[in-house]
Amino acid sequence: MENDKSRETSPAGDGRPLVRCKPIHRRQLLLRPVDVEKLAPEGHPVRAIWELVGTLDLKPFYTEIGALEGEAGRPVWDPQILISLWIYAYKDGVSSAREITRLCDYHPAYQWLTGMEVVNYHTLADFRIHHKKALDRLFIGVLGVLSHQGLISLKRVMHDGTKVKASAADKSFRRKATLEAHLERARAQVVQRGDPRLEPESQRVARARQRALREKQERLKQALTELKQVEDSRSKALAKGEKKKEVRVSATDPEARVMLQAKGAHGPSYNVQISTDAKAKVIVGVGVSQSSSDAGELEPAVERVEGNLGKKPEQMVVDAAYPTQEAIEALAREGIDLIGPLPERRKASWDPLKRRGVSSDFYPQAFSYDPGSDRYTCPAGKVLVFETQEKQGGWVRHRYRARLTDCRVCPFQAQCCPKTKKGRSLVRMEQTPELAAFQAKMETEEAKEIYKQRAEVAEFPNAWIKEKIGLRQFRLRGLVKVTTEALWACLTYNICQWIRLCWRPQRWVQA
Ligand code: SF4
């Protein structure tokens, strides 16, 4: 009896008779019958998940199973169980295969799913990453169910991106020379491990160490390949006038990139792009990008939605990062109504003129433009005629130039164009027709009202995935694997929406 509270005197010291507490017995073995069916009561979400997954087309998951009836080999876990386990675990914010295995041991919902069996964590971990294509099909299958239930209309799709931390530390970022040195060391270690003079060790340990070294070598090789890609993109940025920065890549997750997080900190991350149908906040498209900027992500998002549901959204609502000139033109071509803030126009800078020694009296405002003849007249009364035009960020740059013969003999040349070899030039900026139409639309009250709804719809799944599912940091590494992990999270989110909005337990349906 471990908690026998019998005492000679009452613990309250008030002179009353001794207290009598209920004893507990820990040193015993019990055998109790378990009604597995009752581990998950009717209306429990685990039943909803099992029921929904059972109605979906799981053929792609079954085709890869090698264990066949009538042939040698152990039976495998049914994909319906493994999918349901992962969805239920993600729903509860559990993203670790080891944790699910532990939960299978005692948690009633997991025990109900597995029929009181425990699924090995290797099986769970392998299943999560090895079925990307089948998982894509499953995601589409769930969208089909939600569409059939009238939860998706594609009349208005809100799109947004969210940065999720990669499974790599800030300190894992290395320069090219350091990566090469590490790779050389890893190669030497692989050779050394083959030396028979080394202390003998069990075959299992030797194999594990050899595999770990091989994987490290592969990661370092990949890091050097990624570093080359980053260097190439930096050289393009340098050509556009950006500052030179030292290139580093993570030796742990070479495909992760340093991005600005929500609270202003920088860290290795991926950019998760989510498209949400406004009707019932269902996620209709998910992708992961290595770019820290959302510019350029709108067209791929539209393609993903079309690939998943067979048609394009009628309207896309986005924040200020997305409406680039290219995106505005592309969506106009596709007939998709784009709602979002206008792309910011870079402020006019007089620095280049200052550097060339041009006096402020001869800045562009000193020249008069005649739209009829499409010419400028300079302060000396000479004309500047149209020379070239180019598109830049939603604007067309029209360049005009004075005749060199006029400028050479001009008394103002020293102040107006001291170093020119071609005659004074200036640029007139004009909006492209697409940008002008977009600007006119965004000035209407209707467009402003639609845009006000964006944050509530677009940021809801982002917050839900981070807060409820706990996807603040990826567990997996590499673009393909983190995309799969993001897909599991979004699939779970959609199934939870289905449970919330559509599912009724069988008993209620029959009643
Ligand atoms: S330098 Fe050429 S452009 Fe400038 S004021 Fe004289 S003629 Fe006009």
Side-chain angles (χ1 to χ4, degrees):
M1 199 175 290
E2 294 187 2
N3 73 334
D4 185 358
K5 295 280 167 95
S6 305
R7 292 182 172 89
E8 287 180 7
T9 56
S10 167
D14 55 4
R16 286 190 302 137
L18 297 177
V19 294
R20 190 168 64 241
C21 297
K22 191 172 174 57
I24 62 158
H25 307 280
R26 292 203 175 100
R27 290 180 192 155
Q28 59 175 330
L29 292 172
L30 287 177
L31 274 176
R32 281 183 176 164
V34 178
D35 185 346
V36 179
E37 200 52 80
K38 284 193 177 155
L39 288 171
E42 240 173 310
H44 195 288
V46 76
R47 286 181 179 270
I49 292 168
W50 175 254
E51 194 184 303
L52 178 65
V53 173
T55 62
L56 300 169
D57 177 14
L58 304 182
K59 271 194 220 94
F61 290 94
Y62 287 94
T63 48
E64 290 178 26
I65 294 176
L68 302 173
E69 287 291 353
E71 291 184 13
R74 282 191 305 172
V76 295
W77 280 99
D78 188 333
Q80 188 184 348
I81 292 175
L82 298 178
I83 294 166
S84 304
L85 269 176
W86 270 117
I87 300 285
Y88 187 74
Y90 271 118
K91 183 194 139 324
D92 272 3
V94 176
S95 56
S96 152
R98 283 177 196 266
E99 181 64 9
I100 297 175
T101 297
R102 210 168 62 80
L103 287 163
C104 286
D105 237 348
Y106 68 86
H107 194 293
Y110 292 82
Q111 287 180 320
W112 180 84
L113 263 180
T114 61
M116 306 282 290
E117 298 280 340
V118 174
V119 186
N120 181 285
Y121 68 83
H122 282 300
T123 307
L124 284 162
D126 290 347
F127 185 83
R128 173 166 61 173
I129 56 170
H130 287 157
H131 298 89
K132 168 78 173 64
K133 279 188 185 162
L135 193 66
D136 282 331
R137 294 269 302 272
L138 189 71
F139 186 78
I140 293 170
V142 171
L143 288 182
V145 172
L146 295 168
S147 183
H148 182 71
Q149 300 275 0
L151 300 183
I152 298 173
S153 69
L154 290 190
K155 286 195 183 307
R156 183 169 296 154
V157 171
M158 313 286 199
H159 183 82
D160 199 11
T162 184
K163 310 288 187 324
V164 177
K165 280 186 197 161
S167 177
D170 294 354
K171 287 180 183 169
S172 68
F173 279 72
R174 305 266 188 263
R175 288 171 299 171
K176 188 177 180 182
T178 319
L179 286 171
E180 283 170 346
H182 279 288
L183 182 59
E184 269 314 301
R185 214 173 304 153
R187 280 182 183 137
Q189 281 172 328
V190 171
V191 174
Q192 205 180 26
R193 288 214 65 77
D195 190 338
R197 289 167 299 178
L198 286 175
E199 281 185 24
E201 56 193 6
S202 82
Q203 274 196 356
R204 201 175 128 266
V205 173
R207 272 204 307 273
R209 287 194 173 151
Q210 198 69 23
R211 189 175 60 239
L213 278 173
R214 248 193 343 262
E215 284 171 0
K216 185 178 175 185
Q217 217 178 317
E218 285 308 311
R219 270 203 312 276
L220 288 165
K221 276 187 201 165
Q222 196 193 357
L224 284 164
T225 314
E226 290 290 323
L227 191 119
K228 175 88 181 64
Q229 282 181 18
V230 178
E231 278 176 345
D232 290 348
S233 62
R234 283 278 164 82
S235 51
K236 282 179 197 159
L238 278 174
K240 286 181 188 171
E242 282 189 21
K243 280 184 193 166
K244 191 174 180 185
K245 287 184 205 161
E246 196 173 33
V247 177
R248 290 169 191 250
V249 164
S250 169
T252 315
D253 183 354
E255 289 180 285
R257 297 287 181 269
V258 175
M259 295 181 192
L260 180 65
Q261 301 282 338
K263 289 183 182 168
H266 284 83
S269 315
Y270 288 93
N271 188 352
V272 180
Q273 297 287 317
I274 295 177
S275 308
T276 310
D277 189 284
K279 189 171 184 190
K281 294 179 185 166
V282 169
I283 296 176
V284 288
V286 55
V288 178
S289 139
Q290 290 172 286
S291 168
S292 61
S293 162
D294 289 333
E297 295 298 332
L298 193 51
E299 290 162 74
V302 170
E303 279 171 27
R304 281 194 295 268
V305 174
E306 191 183 11
N308 289 341
L309 287 151
K311 65 173 184 173
K312 293 187 177 81
E314 289 176 26
Q315 185 179 67
M316 291 290 284
V317 185
V318 291
D319 68 16
Y322 293 91
T324 58
Q325 172 65 20
E326 292 75 22
I328 291 169
E329 285 181 4
L331 266 67
R333 273 196 307 274
E334 303 276 358
I336 299 169
D337 187 20
L338 177 62
I339 300 286
L342 288 168
E344 273 185 27
R345 187 188 166 186
R346 270 195 292 170
K347 283 184 190 157
S349 166
W350 307 131
D351 288 352
L353 292 175
K354 220 187 257 178
R355 276 199 297 274
R356 292 208 298 267
V358 177
S359 158
S360 59
D361 293 338
F362 289 85
Y363 282 179
Q365 56 269 34
F367 294 65
S368 61
Y369 176 65
D370 175 24
S373 60
D374 190 24
R375 288 175 169 190
Y376 276 92
T377 305
C378 73
K382 303 295 180 190
V383 292
L384 285 80
V385 295
F386 173 77
E387 189 182 65
T388 55
Q389 71 176 44
E390 59 173 355
K391 275 188 185 178
Q392 194 183 70
W395 296 83
V396 184
R397 291 164 56 91
H398 302 268
R399 184 173 291 278
Y400 297 81
R401 195 175 291 279
R403 276 208 299 254
L404 184 59
T405 47
D406 287 338
C407 295
R408 269 194 184 147
V409 295
C410 176
F412 304 123
Q413 193 199 358
Q415 297 107 296
C416 180
C417 49
K419 294 173 188 168
T420 187
K421 289 176 184 164
K422 292 184 184 172
R424 170 69 194 262
S425 74
L426 57 83
V427 170
R428 180 172 66 86
M429 301 289 278
E430 189 183 58
Q431 277 185 325
T432 59
E434 294 87 355
L435 185 66
F438 180 65
Q439 181 169 12
K441 177 175 65 185
M442 285 315 299
E443 277 163 9
T444 63
E445 283 309 310
E446 190 192 353
K448 285 177 187 167
E449 276 308 308
I450 294 169
Y451 185 67
K452 277 185 198 163
Q453 300 163 20
R454 187 205 69 84
E456 194 222 328
V457 177
E459 289 169 17
F460 177 77
N462 292 357
W464 202 92
I465 282 165
K466 284 188 171 176
E467 295 301 325
K468 302 274 186 192
I469 292 182
L471 193 71
R472 292 192 163 279
Q473 180 167 22
F474 286 113
R475 280 190 174 270
L476 306 174
R477 290 171 182 155
L479 188 59
V480 174
K481 288 183 184 174
V482 299
T483 306
T484 310
E485 203 177 344
L487 198 58
W488 275 109
C490 293
L491 179 67
T492 306
Y493 168 88
N494 278 351
I495 291 179
C496 289
Q497 286 295 81
W498 174 81
I499 295 173
R500 194 169 67 82
L501 300 169
C502 304
W503 185 64
R504 297 288 174 272
Q506 284 301 312
R507 185 167 58 87
W508 301 353
V509 173
Q510 281 156 15

